[in-house]
Amino acid sequence: QLRVFMAEAQRLSVTWEERWHALLAELLSDVGRRFVALQAEATRLSDNASLGAEQREALLRARCVTLMSPPLLVLERNVRANACADPETPAERRFVSRVLPALQAALADLRAPHGRLWGNEGEADLSAVQARWRPVRVVYASLSARVADGRLDLLDVAPALAQLSRSSVPMPGAHAAGALVGKAREDVRDTDTNWSGGDGSGGGGGGDAALEGAVTLAGVVPNATVLATKTRPKRVVLLGSDGSRRAFLLKGRDDLRADERLMQVLRYVNGVFEADARCARLGLSVRTFSVTPLGERTGLIEWVNDATPLFSLFKQWQLDTQARG
């Protein structure tokens, strides 16, 4: 059940459509930059009066192949990899039946021989080069429309996750705070009473106690909300065996292991604050939230209500600065 949960969470974090949408956006941006370089090369050849039309044609064609081959190879490699992958969900099967054939047809057009690049009027005609990438832009526009929807049906994109119920999977973040705060209290107590020495063996009891009767994952709300940011994280709601509903931000394309370590340090600091009489009187504490890595590039972050992202503050500062200027 834990393997199913982790695999399906990774599948949901970046769907096939989202992965291809991001890939095509990057590819088309790269193609645009390379086309500008090709135009500059055409201008340079046109200004060279010592070259004949056929020489210009050969040099421009060679330069075109050099510039456009890298994005073409990236596209070809990803199309082949996707064609070899077995679709396991309704969304993936729909992608294979509708989007993948369009990508394969676009790749075939890009692989076709180039027409003449140097026109009879003695000027370069690069319109055909741009036209060859038009089918890719059409696929990208179609994917843009599909990923614009801010909600996902888990039965469509991650059915095994949606159907997971009464599992033995521990609820993410349910016992982390108690274990680390308990350990910090024990450590502070040991320091106060045995400051002159000791093996510190009593410091680990809090973590073991916190693991007893841990809340497990009883189910998943079958709808997820997609946030309109670059990595498109998803807000998912997990149901606990204690009847609770806990919201999390499921992030892909991001390594959360450092974030997890930072939260562990801050929870330990809170335990130290609670065990210290002066800090307790001042009410010192750090607001923490659970971070659960599910892989090198996937993880769950506890959803914090009524929080303002730093990026929102930065954008508001930009708008205020522009308004004053």
Side-chain angles (χ1 to χ4, degrees):
Q1 289 178 323
L2 180 59
R3 284 195 296 268
V4 170
F5 175 73
M6 295 179 65
E8 288 295 286
Q10 291 178 9
R11 185 195 308 277
L12 175 61
S13 66
V14 184
T15 66
W16 283 13
E17 288 185 344
E18 289 173 338
R19 185 176 72 84
W20 271 101
H21 182 260
L23 175 64
L24 293 183
E26 184 177 348
L27 273 180
L28 291 174
S29 178
D30 186 32
V31 168
R33 291 190 294 268
R34 291 172 181 273
F35 184 76
V36 171
L38 185 61
Q39 287 179 313
E41 177 69 9
T43 301
R44 186 184 69 81
L45 292 174
S46 179
D47 292 341
N48 191 340
S50 65
L51 297 175
E54 294 304 320
Q55 290 176 308
R56 292 190 179 102
E57 172 69 23
L59 291 171
L60 187 59
R61 182 180 295 274
R63 185 59 174 161
C64 181
V65 171
T66 300
L67 286 171
M68 297 302 176
S69 289
L72 178 58
L73 291 174
V74 171
L75 179 62
E76 183 176 33
R77 183 170 63 248
N78 281 273
V79 167
R80 287 181 176 176
N82 215 142
C84 294
D86 294 326
E88 300 179 4
T89 68
E92 292 174 357
R93 287 190 286 271
R94 187 170 58 250
F95 182 92
V96 169
S97 65
R98 298 179 183 178
V99 182
L100 188 58
L103 287 169
Q104 291 170 328
L107 183 61
D109 289 342
L110 289 169
R111 280 295 185 191
H114 271 290
R116 190 172 179 84
L117 299 179
W118 207 267
N120 296 327
E121 293 79 10
E123 295 182 357
D125 182 8
L126 302 179
S127 59
V129 178
Q130 281 190 315
R132 291 164 72 88
W133 286 90
R134 189 172 298 123
V136 179
R137 293 187 181 92
V138 171
V139 176
Y140 174 71
S142 175
L143 290 175
S144 297
R146 296 184 188 186
V147 302
D149 189 359
R151 296 188 65 82
L152 289 176
D153 181 0
L154 266 59
L155 288 172
D156 187 45
V157 296
L161 181 63
Q163 295 166 0
L164 193 66
S165 64
R166 298 181 181 179
S167 73
S168 58
V169 178
M171 174 65 76
H175 68 274
L180 284 167
V181 169
K183 185 178 187 308
R185 288 171 178 166
E186 293 293 332
D187 288 351
V188 171
R189 187 178 301 115
D190 290 345
T191 302
D192 291 340
T193 58
N194 303 314
W195 60 268
S196 60
D199 59 4
S201 59
D208 295 337
L211 290 174
E212 295 179 3
V215 179
T216 57
L217 182 62
V220 182
V221 173
N223 294 308
T225 303
V226 184
L227 276 65
T229 60
K230 184 177 180 180
T231 58
R232 297 183 57 79
K234 284 82 180 174
R235 183 182 186 274
V236 296
V237 178
L238 307 183
L239 308 177
S241 57
D242 59 349
S244 62
R245 294 167 61 96
R246 306 183 187 212
F248 292 87
L249 191 68
L250 176 62
K251 296 194 69 176
R253 309 186 184 118
D254 201 357
D255 189 349
L256 299 180
R257 289 174 293 185
D259 302 70
E260 178 195 28
R261 295 292 181 267
L262 176 60
M263 288 299 115
Q264 289 176 346
V265 171
L266 294 179
R267 291 190 189 102
Y268 190 90
V269 169
N270 280 339
V272 174
F273 283 162
E274 291 182 22
D276 185 88
R278 290 171 299 175
C279 294
R281 284 196 302 271
L282 294 173
L284 298 181
S285 67
V286 182
R287 175 68 167 91
T288 63
F289 48 87
S290 71
V291 180
T292 308
L294 301 176
E296 293 184 359
R297 303 283 288 173
T298 310
L300 289 167
I301 300 177
E302 180 186 358
W303 186 269
V304 180
N305 290 319
D306 303 321
T308 302
L310 288 176
F311 183 73
S312 299
L313 297 177
F314 174 70
K315 290 295 293 184
Q316 187 60 49
W317 172 80
Q318 279 188 320
L319 293 174
D320 292 342
T321 301
Q322 292 174 359
R324 288 194 299 268

